[in-house]
Amino acid sequence: MSATPPPRPRPDRVYAPDFLTELFRNPLDPGYADAAAARRRGSSADAPRGWAARSVGLVVVVVLGFLFAVAYRQTMADEPGRAQARSGLVAQIKERESQTDRLSARADQLREEVSRQRDAALSGSAAARLRDLEASTGLGRVRGDGVVVRLADAPGNADAVTGAGAGPPRVLYSDLQGVANALWSAGAEAVAINGQRLTSTSTIRSAGEAILVDFRPVTGPYEVSATGPGSMRRTFEDSRNAALMREVAQKTGLSFGVREAEDLTLPAAPEPQLRYAKPSVSPSPSGAGGRSGSPGSSGSPGTASPSGGGG
């Protein structure tokens, strides 16, 4: 008698002959249920790990907040000291500026006194000649009719329609250089920027956002004054620099204007510290054999002595 085979396990899903009926009866595959069960088991196992990660993140946030609070408190504690130091520096700068202005005024008074004493000591023609030379070199005060060119920074806000103010809104040192050179080319006899007289050794430079004329700061609005012939304004306005400045003013909003002025007075420039080259003094070379090398010290026996009694 043959052994009975063991019963075969029934599958979870039995496909009936009517496939569409079975599809509507069991729409989900058993694999979906297995995946959901595995996900539930994994989430229950990862729960302690998620709590640990959240705890570490909370600790990090608390530590960072504490550090920011300490840094803010330290900054606020140091702010009075920095403000006091800043106010002290500003006061020192203003004091030095006032001292410089007083010394400049005193130097102008002494210069005028020296000029009066010199004119009294010299003859009329020599004094007039000296005054003309001082005026031409910038070391003497001049007075006469001329032209004033005014430049000012553009306002801070830009026009959204026309685009004015989109470019550099500040007057640059190169703008003042160009205006001064154009005035010289137009026949100016004397030029000054905000009361600072220009000479052949003057410099117009920038240091950060400040403009220096002969190492002295000038602030806007800037007025370039010049004395010269009556045709100077027309010649300047026809120059290339004036056309460029008008274009820059139209695009960026800078203020640029030219006007004639009567009875201008331009102050004298400080006397420059001139340096002169001096030749180096080299020692006289000594003759060979211990002889002095002077013309009259030759030891030749055929040379007559100064008394004429050489033999």
Side-chain angles (χ1 to χ4, degrees), residues 117-168:
Q117 296 292 336
R118 184 186 55 204
D119 294 343
L122 296 176
S123 60
S125 59
R129 174 63 176 167
L130 186 58
R131 284 195 297 268
D132 292 340
L133 291 176
E134 286 180 342
S136 61
T137 57
L139 300 181
R141 185 175 57 180
V142 296
R143 185 176 179 180
D145 299 338
V147 172
V148 176
V149 181
R150 187 179 185 275
L151 298 95
D153 297 338
N157 52 347
D159 191 347
V161 178
T162 61

mmCIF file of all heavy atoms in Angstrom, residues 117-168:
data_model
loop_
_atom_site.group_PDB
_atom_site.id
_atom_site.type_symbol
_atom_site.label_atom_id
_atom_site.label_comp_id
_atom_site.label_asym_id
_atom_site.label_seq_id
_atom_site.Cartn_x
_atom_site.Cartn_y
_atom_site.Cartn_z
ATOM 1 N N GLN A 117 57.060 144.726 4.237
ATOM 2 C CA GLN A 117 58.437 145.100 4.566
ATOM 3 C C GLN A 117 59.346 144.998 3.347
ATOM 4 O O GLN A 117 60.232 145.834 3.138
ATOM 5 C CB GLN A 117 58.961 144.192 5.687
ATOM 6 C CG GLN A 117 58.224 144.332 7.006
ATOM 7 C CD GLN A 117 58.456 145.690 7.653
ATOM 8 O OE1 GLN A 117 59.455 146.370 7.397
ATOM 9 N NE2 GLN A 117 57.518 146.095 8.506
ATOM 10 N N ARG A 118 59.139 144.006 2.530
ATOM 11 C CA ARG A 118 59.965 143.839 1.339
ATOM 12 C C ARG A 118 59.698 144.946 0.338
ATOM 13 O O ARG A 118 60.626 145.474 -0.288
ATOM 14 C CB ARG A 118 59.677 142.468 0.725
ATOM 15 C CG ARG A 118 60.532 142.111 -0.483
ATOM 16 C CD ARG A 118 60.042 140.813 -1.058
ATOM 17 N NE ARG A 118 58.627 140.883 -1.364
ATOM 18 C CZ ARG A 118 57.820 139.823 -1.446
ATOM 19 N NH1 ARG A 118 58.282 138.616 -1.207
ATOM 20 N NH2 ARG A 118 56.544 139.976 -1.747
ATOM 21 N N ASP A 119 58.412 145.305 0.134
ATOM 22 C CA ASP A 119 58.091 146.386 -0.793
ATOM 23 C C ASP A 119 58.684 147.719 -0.316
ATOM 24 O O ASP A 119 59.106 148.552 -1.133
ATOM 25 C CB ASP A 119 56.579 146.521 -0.950
ATOM 26 C CG ASP A 119 55.967 145.304 -1.621
ATOM 27 O OD1 ASP A 119 56.733 144.531 -2.239
ATOM 28 O OD2 ASP A 119 54.738 145.109 -1.504
ATOM 29 N N ALA A 120 58.704 147.909 1.010
ATOM 30 C CA ALA A 120 59.289 149.134 1.538
ATOM 31 C C ALA A 120 60.801 149.154 1.338
ATOM 32 O O ALA A 120 61.391 150.229 1.121
ATOM 33 C CB ALA A 120 58.958 149.281 3.022
ATOM 34 N N ALA A 121 61.440 147.981 1.393
ATOM 35 C CA ALA A 121 62.895 147.931 1.229
ATOM 36 C C ALA A 121 63.312 148.000 -0.229
ATOM 37 O O ALA A 121 64.382 148.535 -0.547
ATOM 38 C CB ALA A 121 63.448 146.658 1.869
ATOM 39 N N LEU A 122 62.502 147.482 -1.136
ATOM 40 C CA LEU A 122 62.864 147.482 -2.550
ATOM 41 C C LEU A 122 62.358 148.743 -3.234
ATOM 42 O O LEU A 122 61.512 149.475 -2.714
ATOM 43 C CB LEU A 122 62.259 146.254 -3.240
ATOM 44 C CG LEU A 122 62.756 144.881 -2.762
ATOM 45 C CD1 LEU A 122 61.996 143.770 -3.466
ATOM 46 C CD2 LEU A 122 64.254 144.736 -3.005
ATOM 47 N N SER A 123 62.895 148.967 -4.428
ATOM 48 C CA SER A 123 62.426 150.086 -5.234
ATOM 49 C C SER A 123 61.077 149.742 -5.860
ATOM 50 O O SER A 123 60.625 148.593 -5.825
ATOM 51 C CB SER A 123 63.451 150.405 -6.326
ATOM 52 O OG SER A 123 63.622 149.270 -7.169
ATOM 53 N N GLY A 124 60.426 150.719 -6.447
ATOM 54 C CA GLY A 124 59.101 150.497 -7.007
ATOM 55 C C GLY A 124 59.083 149.483 -8.122
ATOM 56 O O GLY A 124 58.239 148.586 -8.169
ATOM 57 N N SER A 125 60.029 149.585 -9.078
ATOM 58 C CA SER A 125 60.042 148.667 -10.212
ATOM 59 C C SER A 125 60.387 147.244 -9.775
ATOM 60 O O SER A 125 59.792 146.259 -10.243
ATOM 61 C CB SER A 125 61.047 149.149 -11.256
ATOM 62 O OG SER A 125 62.354 149.226 -10.695
ATOM 63 N N ALA A 126 61.327 147.106 -8.843
ATOM 64 C CA ALA A 126 61.708 145.761 -8.377
ATOM 65 C C ALA A 126 60.566 145.118 -7.605
ATOM 66 O O ALA A 126 60.295 143.915 -7.749
ATOM 67 C CB ALA A 126 62.958 145.843 -7.510
ATOM 68 N N ALA A 127 59.860 145.902 -6.790
ATOM 69 C CA ALA A 127 58.731 145.357 -6.041
ATOM 70 C C ALA A 127 57.595 144.929 -6.975
ATOM 71 O O ALA A 127 56.967 143.884 -6.775
ATOM 72 C CB ALA A 127 58.240 146.379 -5.030
ATOM 73 N N ALA A 128 57.324 145.733 -8.004
ATOM 74 C CA ALA A 128 56.273 145.371 -8.961
ATOM 75 C C ALA A 128 56.638 144.108 -9.725
ATOM 76 O O ALA A 128 55.793 143.234 -9.962
ATOM 77 C CB ALA A 128 56.026 146.532 -9.920
ATOM 78 N N ARG A 129 57.908 144.002 -10.108
ATOM 79 C CA ARG A 129 58.372 142.801 -10.802
ATOM 80 C C ARG A 129 58.228 141.569 -9.917
ATOM 81 O O ARG A 129 57.789 140.512 -10.364
ATOM 82 C CB ARG A 129 59.833 142.995 -11.218
ATOM 83 C CG ARG A 129 60.506 141.780 -11.818
ATOM 84 C CD ARG A 129 59.850 141.364 -13.105
ATOM 85 N NE ARG A 129 60.565 140.260 -13.727
ATOM 86 C CZ ARG A 129 60.071 139.528 -14.728
ATOM 87 N NH1 ARG A 129 58.866 139.810 -15.219
ATOM 88 N NH2 ARG A 129 60.786 138.553 -15.241
ATOM 89 N N LEU A 130 58.540 141.711 -8.651
ATOM 90 C CA LEU A 130 58.433 140.589 -7.726
ATOM 91 C C LEU A 130 56.976 140.197 -7.509
ATOM 92 O O LEU A 130 56.650 139.009 -7.439
ATOM 93 C CB LEU A 130 59.090 140.953 -6.399
ATOM 94 C CG LEU A 130 59.184 139.840 -5.355
ATOM 95 C CD1 LEU A 130 59.951 138.646 -5.902
ATOM 96 C CD2 LEU A 130 59.839 140.354 -4.091
ATOM 97 N N ARG A 131 56.084 141.174 -7.421
ATOM 98 C CA ARG A 131 54.666 140.862 -7.260
ATOM 99 C C ARG A 131 54.117 140.139 -8.482
ATOM 100 O O ARG A 131 53.302 139.225 -8.370
ATOM 101 C CB ARG A 131 53.883 142.145 -6.992
ATOM 102 C CG ARG A 131 54.042 142.674 -5.573
ATOM 103 C CD ARG A 131 52.978 143.724 -5.268
ATOM 104 N NE ARG A 131 53.128 144.884 -6.154
ATOM 105 C CZ ARG A 131 53.844 145.944 -5.860
ATOM 106 N NH1 ARG A 131 54.520 146.008 -4.710
ATOM 107 N NH2 ARG A 131 53.919 146.968 -6.690
ATOM 108 N N ASP A 132 54.556 140.538 -9.660
ATOM 109 C CA ASP A 132 54.107 139.843 -10.872
ATOM 110 C C ASP A 132 54.587 138.396 -10.882
ATOM 111 O O ASP A 132 53.835 137.480 -11.263
ATOM 112 C CB ASP A 132 54.612 140.576 -12.116
ATOM 113 C CG ASP A 132 53.950 141.939 -12.276
ATOM 114 O OD1 ASP A 132 52.867 142.145 -11.681
ATOM 115 O OD2 ASP A 132 54.534 142.795 -12.972
ATOM 116 N N LEU A 133 55.813 138.176 -10.469
ATOM 117 C CA LEU A 133 56.327 136.809 -10.425
ATOM 118 C C LEU A 133 55.577 135.972 -9.390
ATOM 119 O O LEU A 133 55.286 134.794 -9.617
ATOM 120 C CB LEU A 133 57.826 136.829 -10.110
ATOM 121 C CG LEU A 133 58.738 137.380 -11.213
ATOM 122 C CD1 LEU A 133 60.192 137.440 -10.727
ATOM 123 C CD2 LEU A 133 58.640 136.508 -12.467
ATOM 124 N N GLU A 134 55.270 136.563 -8.250
ATOM 125 C CA GLU A 134 54.525 135.823 -7.229
ATOM 126 C C GLU A 134 53.116 135.474 -7.717
ATOM 127 O O GLU A 134 52.614 134.370 -7.458
ATOM 128 C CB GLU A 134 54.440 136.655 -5.945
ATOM 129 C CG GLU A 134 55.735 136.722 -5.170
ATOM 130 C CD GLU A 134 55.589 137.556 -3.911
ATOM 131 O OE1 GLU A 134 54.611 138.328 -3.829
ATOM 132 O OE2 GLU A 134 56.447 137.434 -3.020
ATOM 133 N N ALA A 135 52.482 136.387 -8.415
ATOM 134 C CA ALA A 135 51.137 136.110 -8.928
ATOM 135 C C ALA A 135 51.155 135.010 -9.977
ATOM 136 O O ALA A 135 50.262 134.152 -10.021
ATOM 137 C CB ALA A 135 50.522 137.393 -9.494
ATOM 138 N N SER A 136 52.161 135.010 -10.832
ATOM 139 C CA SER A 136 52.230 133.994 -11.885
ATOM 140 C C SER A 136 52.588 132.619 -11.345
ATOM 141 O O SER A 136 52.173 131.595 -11.901
ATOM 142 C CB SER A 136 53.248 134.414 -12.952
ATOM 143 O OG SER A 136 54.544 134.544 -12.375
ATOM 144 N N THR A 137 53.340 132.567 -10.262
ATOM 145 C CA THR A 137 53.722 131.278 -9.674
ATOM 146 C C THR A 137 52.755 130.789 -8.608
ATOM 147 O O THR A 137 52.906 129.666 -8.114
ATOM 148 C CB THR A 137 55.125 131.370 -9.058
ATOM 149 O OG1 THR A 137 55.156 132.427 -8.090
ATOM 150 C CG2 THR A 137 56.169 131.627 -10.134
ATOM 151 N N GLY A 138 51.785 131.601 -8.228
ATOM 152 C CA GLY A 138 50.821 131.199 -7.223
ATOM 153 C C GLY A 138 51.179 131.575 -5.820
ATOM 154 O O GLY A 138 50.428 131.279 -4.885
ATOM 155 N N LEU A 139 52.297 132.238 -5.592
ATOM 156 C CA LEU A 139 52.733 132.619 -4.246
ATOM 157 C C LEU A 139 52.230 133.989 -3.829
ATOM 158 O O LEU A 139 52.561 134.445 -2.734
ATOM 159 C CB LEU A 139 54.262 132.573 -4.164
ATOM 160 C CG LEU A 139 54.904 131.215 -4.458
ATOM 161 C CD1 LEU A 139 56.412 131.297 -4.320
ATOM 162 C CD2 LEU A 139 54.340 130.140 -3.542
ATOM 163 N N GLY A 140 51.463 134.636 -4.678
ATOM 164 C CA GLY A 140 50.901 135.943 -4.356
ATOM 165 C C GLY A 140 49.402 135.957 -4.579
ATOM 166 O O GLY A 140 48.879 135.257 -5.469
ATOM 167 N N ARG A 141 48.693 136.736 -3.809
ATOM 168 C CA ARG A 141 47.246 136.845 -3.944
ATOM 169 C C ARG A 141 46.912 137.641 -5.191
ATOM 170 O O ARG A 141 47.561 138.648 -5.497
ATOM 171 C CB ARG A 141 46.665 137.507 -2.705
ATOM 172 C CG ARG A 141 45.143 137.568 -2.690
ATOM 173 C CD ARG A 141 44.636 138.125 -1.378
ATOM 174 N NE ARG A 141 45.190 139.449 -1.109
ATOM 175 C CZ ARG A 141 44.912 140.149 -0.022
ATOM 176 N NH1 ARG A 141 44.127 139.645 0.902
ATOM 177 N NH2 ARG A 141 45.457 141.357 0.146
ATOM 178 N N VAL A 142 45.885 137.175 -5.918
ATOM 179 C CA VAL A 142 45.462 137.838 -7.149
ATOM 180 C C VAL A 142 43.999 138.232 -7.012
ATOM 181 O O VAL A 142 43.229 137.648 -6.233
ATOM 182 C CB VAL A 142 45.664 136.930 -8.382
ATOM 183 C CG1 VAL A 142 47.131 136.634 -8.594
ATOM 184 C CG2 VAL A 142 44.869 135.641 -8.240
ATOM 185 N N ARG A 143 43.625 139.216 -7.821
ATOM 186 C CA ARG A 143 42.263 139.735 -7.782
ATOM 187 C C ARG A 143 41.867 140.164 -9.175
ATOM 188 O O ARG A 143 42.650 140.830 -9.874
ATOM 189 C CB ARG A 143 42.179 140.914 -6.815
ATOM 190 C CG ARG A 143 40.786 141.475 -6.603
ATOM 191 C CD ARG A 143 40.835 142.567 -5.546
ATOM 192 N NE ARG A 143 39.527 143.160 -5.326
ATOM 193 C CZ ARG A 143 39.303 144.134 -4.456
ATOM 194 N NH1 ARG A 143 40.313 144.626 -3.727
ATOM 195 N NH2 ARG A 143 38.083 144.619 -4.304
ATOM 196 N N GLY A 144 40.662 139.774 -9.582
ATOM 197 C CA GLY A 144 40.208 140.133 -10.916
ATOM 198 C C GLY A 144 38.954 139.369 -11.291
ATOM 199 O O GLY A 144 38.416 138.562 -10.521
ATOM 200 N N ASP A 145 38.470 139.621 -12.503
ATOM 201 C CA ASP A 145 37.286 138.938 -13.012
ATOM 202 C C ASP A 145 37.677 137.554 -13.528
ATOM 203 O O ASP A 145 38.809 137.331 -13.968
ATOM 204 C CB ASP A 145 36.642 139.744 -14.143
ATOM 205 C CG ASP A 145 36.197 141.117 -13.658
ATOM 206 O OD1 ASP A 145 36.013 141.262 -12.428
ATOM 207 O OD2 ASP A 145 36.056 142.025 -14.504
ATOM 208 N N GLY A 146 36.704 136.651 -13.501
ATOM 209 C CA GLY A 146 37.010 135.307 -13.955
ATOM 210 C C GLY A 146 35.780 134.431 -14.050
ATOM 211 O O GLY A 146 34.660 134.909 -14.294
ATOM 212 N N VAL A 147 35.995 133.136 -13.841
ATOM 213 C CA VAL A 147 34.966 132.104 -14.018
ATOM 214 C C VAL A 147 34.978 131.203 -12.795
ATOM 215 O O VAL A 147 36.047 130.908 -12.238
ATOM 216 C CB VAL A 147 35.219 131.285 -15.309
ATOM 217 C CG1 VAL A 147 34.275 130.103 -15.402
ATOM 218 C CG2 VAL A 147 35.079 132.164 -16.530
ATOM 219 N N VAL A 148 33.790 130.748 -12.391
ATOM 220 C CA VAL A 148 33.641 129.798 -11.291
ATOM 221 C C VAL A 148 32.896 128.580 -11.818
ATOM 222 O O VAL A 148 31.788 128.706 -12.353
ATOM 223 C CB VAL A 148 32.889 130.411 -10.089
ATOM 224 C CG1 VAL A 148 32.669 129.365 -8.999
ATOM 225 C CG2 VAL A 148 33.647 131.602 -9.537
ATOM 226 N N VAL A 149 33.518 127.410 -11.689
ATOM 227 C CA VAL A 149 32.913 126.142 -12.093
ATOM 228 C C VAL A 149 32.513 125.408 -10.814
ATOM 229 O O VAL A 149 33.356 125.142 -9.957
ATOM 230 C CB VAL A 149 33.879 125.294 -12.929
ATOM 231 C CG1 VAL A 149 33.208 123.986 -13.353
ATOM 232 C CG2 VAL A 149 34.352 126.074 -14.148
ATOM 233 N N ARG A 150 31.244 125.074 -10.703
ATOM 234 C CA ARG A 150 30.714 124.426 -9.485
ATOM 235 C C ARG A 150 30.343 122.984 -9.786
ATOM 236 O O ARG A 150 29.612 122.714 -10.746
ATOM 237 C CB ARG A 150 29.502 125.184 -8.958
ATOM 238 C CG ARG A 150 28.997 124.685 -7.607
ATOM 239 C CD ARG A 150 27.804 125.514 -7.157
ATOM 240 N NE ARG A 150 27.361 125.160 -5.818
ATOM 241 C CZ ARG A 150 26.528 124.160 -5.540
ATOM 242 N NH1 ARG A 150 26.054 123.416 -6.520
ATOM 243 N NH2 ARG A 150 26.180 123.907 -4.289
ATOM 244 N N LEU A 151 30.836 122.068 -8.952
ATOM 245 C CA LEU A 151 30.509 120.647 -9.060
ATOM 246 C C LEU A 151 30.019 120.172 -7.694
ATOM 247 O O LEU A 151 30.593 120.534 -6.660
ATOM 248 C CB LEU A 151 31.716 119.810 -9.486
ATOM 249 C CG LEU A 151 32.329 120.096 -10.855
ATOM 250 C CD1 LEU A 151 33.495 121.074 -10.713
ATOM 251 C CD2 LEU A 151 32.818 118.812 -11.497
ATOM 252 N N ALA A 152 28.958 119.352 -7.698
ATOM 253 C CA ALA A 152 28.387 118.830 -6.455
ATOM 254 C C ALA A 152 27.959 117.389 -6.679
ATOM 255 O O ALA A 152 27.628 116.979 -7.810
ATOM 256 C CB ALA A 152 27.209 119.672 -5.989
ATOM 257 N N ASP A 153 27.967 116.623 -5.593
ATOM 258 C CA ASP A 153 27.560 115.221 -5.655
ATOM 259 C C ASP A 153 26.082 115.120 -5.984
ATOM 260 O O ASP A 153 25.279 116.011 -5.683
ATOM 261 C CB ASP A 153 27.836 114.517 -4.326
ATOM 262 C CG ASP A 153 29.321 114.478 -4.003
ATOM 263 O OD1 ASP A 153 30.132 114.589 -4.946
ATOM 264 O OD2 ASP A 153 29.673 114.342 -2.817
ATOM 265 N N ALA A 154 25.722 113.989 -6.591
ATOM 266 C CA ALA A 154 24.325 113.742 -6.931
ATOM 267 C C ALA A 154 23.547 113.338 -5.684
ATOM 268 O O ALA A 154 24.117 112.849 -4.712
ATOM 269 C CB ALA A 154 24.240 112.632 -7.985
ATOM 270 N N PRO A 155 22.231 113.543 -5.670
ATOM 271 C CA PRO A 155 21.428 113.070 -4.535
ATOM 272 C C PRO A 155 21.470 111.561 -4.439
ATOM 273 O O PRO A 155 21.745 110.852 -5.408
ATOM 274 C CB PRO A 155 20.016 113.592 -4.854
ATOM 275 C CG PRO A 155 20.026 113.859 -6.323
ATOM 276 C CD PRO A 155 21.429 114.248 -6.676
ATOM 277 N N GLY A 156 21.169 111.057 -3.257
ATOM 278 C CA GLY A 156 21.306 109.623 -3.010
ATOM 279 C C GLY A 156 20.320 108.762 -3.757
ATOM 280 O O GLY A 156 20.632 107.632 -4.137
ATOM 281 N N ASN A 157 19.103 109.225 -4.019
ATOM 282 C CA ASN A 157 18.103 108.392 -4.683
ATOM 283 C C ASN A 157 18.218 108.545 -6.184
ATOM 284 O O ASN A 157 18.472 109.619 -6.707
ATOM 285 C CB ASN A 157 16.690 108.781 -4.217
ATOM 286 C CG ASN A 157 16.431 110.271 -4.360
ATOM 287 O OD1 ASN A 157 17.358 111.037 -4.581
ATOM 288 N ND2 ASN A 157 15.178 110.661 -4.236
ATOM 289 N N ALA A 158 18.017 107.437 -6.888
ATOM 290 C CA ALA A 158 18.084 107.422 -8.344
ATOM 291 C C ALA A 158 16.671 107.456 -8.924
ATOM 292 O O ALA A 158 15.720 106.932 -8.334
ATOM 293 C CB ALA A 158 18.820 106.184 -8.840
ATOM 294 N N ASP A 159 16.523 108.070 -10.077
ATOM 295 C CA ASP A 159 15.239 108.147 -10.746
ATOM 296 C C ASP A 159 14.992 106.830 -11.465
ATOM 297 O O ASP A 159 15.774 106.416 -12.324
ATOM 298 C CB ASP A 159 15.229 109.311 -11.733
ATOM 299 C CG ASP A 159 13.844 109.609 -12.256
ATOM 300 O OD1 ASP A 159 12.944 108.778 -12.048
ATOM 301 O OD2 ASP A 159 13.660 110.667 -12.874
ATOM 302 N N ALA A 160 13.904 106.153 -11.129
ATOM 303 C CA ALA A 160 13.625 104.852 -11.730
ATOM 304 C C ALA A 160 13.193 104.969 -13.180
ATOM 305 O O ALA A 160 13.251 104.001 -13.931
ATOM 306 C CB ALA A 160 12.537 104.131 -10.926
ATOM 307 N N VAL A 161 12.741 106.154 -13.618
ATOM 308 C CA VAL A 161 12.251 106.322 -14.991
ATOM 309 C C VAL A 161 13.387 106.734 -15.914
ATOM 310 O O VAL A 161 13.657 106.099 -16.935
ATOM 311 C CB VAL A 161 11.101 107.344 -15.025
ATOM 312 C CG1 VAL A 161 10.628 107.562 -16.460
ATOM 313 C CG2 VAL A 161 9.957 106.869 -14.143
ATOM 314 N N THR A 162 14.084 107.812 -15.551
ATOM 315 C CA THR A 162 15.147 108.319 -16.421
ATOM 316 C C THR A 162 16.476 107.642 -16.179
ATOM 317 O O THR A 162 17.370 107.732 -17.013
ATOM 318 C CB THR A 162 15.309 109.841 -16.223
ATOM 319 O OG1 THR A 162 15.676 110.084 -14.856
ATOM 320 C CG2 THR A 162 13.996 110.554 -16.508
ATOM 321 N N GLY A 163 16.644 106.988 -15.014
ATOM 322 C CA GLY A 163 17.919 106.337 -14.715
ATOM 323 C C GLY A 163 18.960 107.271 -14.167
ATOM 324 O O GLY A 163 20.122 106.887 -14.031
ATOM 325 N N ALA A 164 18.595 108.515 -13.856
ATOM 326 C CA ALA A 164 19.564 109.454 -13.286
ATOM 327 C C ALA A 164 20.006 108.958 -11.922
ATOM 328 O O ALA A 164 19.192 108.555 -11.109
ATOM 329 C CB ALA A 164 18.958 110.848 -13.172
ATOM 330 N N GLY A 165 21.285 108.984 -11.686
ATOM 331 C CA GLY A 165 21.832 108.475 -10.444
ATOM 332 C C GLY A 165 22.289 107.045 -10.531
ATOM 333 O O GLY A 165 22.725 106.472 -9.541
ATOM 334 N N ALA A 166 22.182 106.432 -11.733
ATOM 335 C CA ALA A 166 22.599 105.043 -11.857
ATOM 336 C C ALA A 166 24.107 104.895 -11.891
ATOM 337 O O ALA A 166 24.630 103.840 -11.579
ATOM 338 C CB ALA A 166 22.003 104.433 -13.133
ATOM 339 N N GLY A 167 24.830 105.939 -12.292
ATOM 340 C CA GLY A 167 26.275 105.871 -12.374
ATOM 341 C C GLY A 167 26.925 106.289 -11.077
ATOM 342 O O GLY A 167 26.285 106.335 -10.026
ATOM 343 N N PRO A 168 28.219 106.620 -11.097
ATOM 344 C CA PRO A 168 28.881 107.087 -9.878
ATOM 345 C C PRO A 168 28.329 108.435 -9.449
ATOM 346 O O PRO A 168 28.438 109.426 -10.174
ATOM 347 C CB PRO A 168 30.357 107.185 -10.289
ATOM 348 C CG PRO A 168 30.342 107.265 -11.777
ATOM 349 C CD PRO A 168 29.132 106.508 -12.226
#
